[in-house]
């Protein structure tokens, strides 16, 4: 069917609009990269926009040798990996039984309300901190992983995805003698790849970008994950904690270029991962949406 003139005009305008939005979103990253690769004097003078002035890699040379930054990045990588493993496992184990009808899962409504009520009412920061403290997790990486191991939104997303699958799949598997574990791992999960990828993207971004819990649950800055470390250092570069040699290097490269380099490197892992997951993201989000 031929495309009408109105549709062609709409497609052109829509494409231009989306390109402008994409450029608008990309501009801060380009600016940070330009600042991090520019001479400090040019940055202080305000001459840098989206292209480096007096190109230099001195900032990255200093950053690559700064152990505290890479230690915090390593903590964030481990935290994100552990959170992803726990979240996917517990989400699957929660969503699969809840996706069954009350006839197949007696008491399903009670468990569903048990998950739903905390979305509306929760104890808040102080009770959560008290629980983490009583469990002896202060200063432990588990304090950053366990509190968010089960997220009700992810459970609902996967639950609705499971509900959207034909019931005949389970019935056929039961006729072949398969048990519920076999049905889950060999029938449902392979079909749920888009939903699982969507949850993985959400979880990874949330854990990587979260900074507040790291500051309140960790005892020393050396235990901070990356975003907590950046929150503490980007806002206030503590020159007194640096050695004389490091202070000289920091004075030469400038705090602005150093902070820009840190922020750019910190954002790179998620920027590199997201394009590979994006093809599943939209499909999983739509198929796992709440159905009427």
């Amino acid at each position: 069917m031929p495309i009408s003139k109105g549709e062609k005009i709409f497609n052109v305008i829509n494409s231009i609009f989306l390109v402008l939005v994409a450029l608008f979103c990309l501009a801060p990253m380009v600016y940070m990269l330009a600042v991090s690769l520019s001479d400090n004097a040019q940055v202080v003078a305000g001459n840098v926009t989206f292209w480096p002035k007096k190109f230099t890699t001195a900032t990255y040379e200093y950053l690559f040798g700064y152990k505290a930054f890479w230690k915090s990045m390593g903590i964030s990588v481990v935290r994100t990996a552990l959170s992803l493993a726990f979240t996917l496992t517990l989400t699957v184990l929660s969503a699969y039984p809840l996706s069954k009808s009350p006839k197949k899962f007696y008491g399903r409504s009670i468990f569903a309300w048990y998950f739903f009520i905390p979305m509306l009412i929760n104890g808040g920061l102080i009770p959560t901190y008290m629980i983490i403290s009583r469990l002896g997790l202060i200063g432990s990486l588990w304090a950053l992983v366990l509190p968010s191991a089960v997220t009700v939104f992810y459970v609902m997303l996967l639950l609705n995805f499971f509900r959207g699958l034909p019931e005949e799949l389970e019935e056929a598997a039961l006729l072949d003698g398969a048990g519920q574990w076999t049905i889950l791992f060999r029938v449902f999960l392979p079909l749920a790849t888009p939903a699982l990828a969507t949850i993985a993207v959400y979880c990874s971004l949330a854990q990587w970008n979260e900074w507040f819990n790291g500051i309140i649950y960790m005892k020393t800055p050396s235990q901070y994950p990356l975003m907590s470390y950046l929150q503490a250092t980007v806002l206030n570069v503590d020159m007194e904690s640096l050695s004389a040699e490091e202070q000289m290097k920091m004075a030469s490269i400038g705090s602005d270029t150093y902070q820009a380099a840190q922020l750019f490197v910190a954002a790179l892992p998620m920027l590199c991962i997201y394009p590979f997951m994006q093809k599943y993201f939209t499909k999983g989000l739509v198929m796992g949406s709440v159905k009427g």
Side-chain angles (χ1 to χ4, degrees):
M1 185 177 180
I3 300 176
S4 65
K5 184 178 180 180
E7 288 178 317
K8 291 180 180 179
I9 295 174
F10 173 79
N11 289 336
V12 171
I13 296 175
N14 192 40
S15 298
I16 294 173
F17 174 74
L18 292 177
V19 169
L20 291 176
V21 170
L23 292 175
F24 183 78
C25 294
L26 190 62
M29 291 297 299
V30 176
Y31 174 74
M32 281 194 299
L33 179 60
V35 169
S36 67
L37 293 172
S38 298
D39 181 73
N40 182 47
Q42 297 295 320
V43 176
V44 173
N47 296 330
V48 180
T49 51
F50 297 110
W51 192 259
K53 299 291 185 178
K54 291 189 177 181
F55 180 87
T56 176
T57 59
T59 305
Y60 287 96
E61 292 173 7
Y62 175 75
L63 179 60
F64 290 155
Y66 196 59
K67 294 181 180 179
F69 177 84
W70 297 107
K71 181 180 179 180
S72 64
M73 178 172 280
I75 293 173
S76 280
V77 170
V78 175
R79 172 193 184 178
T80 303
L82 285 175
S83 296
L84 191 57
F86 271 81
T87 297
L88 288 177
T89 300
L90 295 177
T91 299
V92 169
L93 295 179
S94 301
Y96 180 69
L98 289 174
S99 67
K100 306 300 180 184
S101 65
K103 294 180 180 180
K104 295 181 179 179
F105 178 22
Y106 180 75
R108 174 194 173 277
S109 298
I110 298 175
F111 288 99
W113 279 105
Y114 179 80
F115 277 88
F116 179 70
I117 290 176
M119 291 185 66
L120 307 177
I121 304 172
N122 61 76
L125 176 61
I126 295 177
T128 303
Y129 183 88
M130 292 176 64
I131 293 174
I132 297 297
S133 180
R134 294 282 179 86
L135 292 174
L137 297 179
I138 299 296
S140 169
L141 188 62
W142 295 110
L144 306 178
V145 174
L146 295 181
S148 58
V150 178
T151 302
V152 180
F153 173 71
Y154 302 159
V155 174
M156 294 180 64
L157 188 68
L158 190 59
L159 180 158
N160 283 288
F161 189 94
F162 284 154
R163 281 184 177 176
L165 297 177
E167 293 184 4
E168 290 76 12
L169 291 174
E170 182 178 358
E171 293 172 357
L174 289 172
L175 289 175
D176 289 339
Q180 290 297 333
W181 288 107
T182 303
I183 294 172
L184 172 60
F185 287 105
R186 303 190 64 178
V187 178
F188 276 57
L189 286 187
L191 297 173
T193 300
L196 293 175
T198 302
I199 294 171
V201 170
Y202 274 131
C203 178
S204 299
L205 288 174
Q207 291 296 331
W208 187 265
N209 292 326
E210 201 282 325
W211 61 270
F212 185 68
N213 288 344
I215 290 179
I216 64 174
Y217 292 140
M218 297 298 104
K219 294 180 179 179
T220 62
S222 63
Q223 297 175 320
Y224 284 174
L226 183 58
M227 292 304 165
S228 302
Y229 168 82
L230 291 178
Q231 171 68 15
T233 59
V234 169
L235 294 181
N236 181 25
V237 179
D238 187 6
M239 298 295 289
E240 295 181 358
S241 65
L242 303 178
S243 64
E245 182 181 356
E246 289 175 332
Q247 290 183 17
M248 291 179 62
K249 289 182 178 179
M250 182 62 70
S252 64
I253 64 176
S255 60
D256 290 340
T257 57
Y258 179 60
Q259 291 168 356
Q262 285 182 311
L263 293 172
F264 183 79
V265 173
L268 272 181
M270 291 298 105
L271 290 176
C272 293
I273 292 174
Y274 184 81
F276 296 100
M277 307 294 287
Q278 194 272 338
K279 64 179 180 180
Y280 300 108
F281 184 79
T282 304
K283 182 180 178 182
L285 191 61
V286 173
M287 294 183 69
S289 59
V290 178
K291 298 175 176 60

